[in-house]
Amino acid sequence: MTNGNDKEVSWTDLGKEMWDYLTGQGAAINYTFVDMSVEVPRDTGTDAPRATWKLDGTLRITTEDVEHTGATGS
């Protein structure tokens, strides 16, 4: 993946840039999962035991910019 200047950008960097942009914009990000399974390894290695997490519904993430809303942090 590259940006407009043909510089390679990682998914992590892209996510951070998107989060920085959306913070303070009153944005909501909605992810909908339909019968999705995620295997989470307990240890490293190909034979590590795994837990299976099942997702079936909506995860909503909202952003807030405390600095510009006048709210105080705790």
Side-chain angles (χ1 to χ4, degrees):
M1 180 172 30
T2 60
N3 66 11
N5 299 324
D6 291 331
K7 178 182 172 191
E8 190 168 314
V9 178
S10 72
W11 283 106
T12 303
D13 291 339
L14 178 62
K16 287 177 184 177
E17 287 179 31
M18 287 177 57
W19 186 264
D20 287 343
Y21 173 77
L22 293 172
T23 300
Q25 303 293 318
I29 303 169
N30 297 302
Y31 299 97
T32 302
F33 302 99
V34 178
D35 197 26
M36 179 178 168
S37 295
V38 178
E39 289 190 359
V40 182
R42 186 182 71 188
D43 304 311
T44 58
T46 57
D47 295 329
R50 299 175 189 278
T52 301
W53 296 353
K54 300 221 180 231
L55 302 157
D56 192 11
T58 301
L59 168 67
R60 172 172 252 196
I61 300 172
T62 58
T63 65
E64 178 180 347
D65 187 347
V66 176
E67 182 178 326
H68 294 100
T69 61
T72 58
S74 49

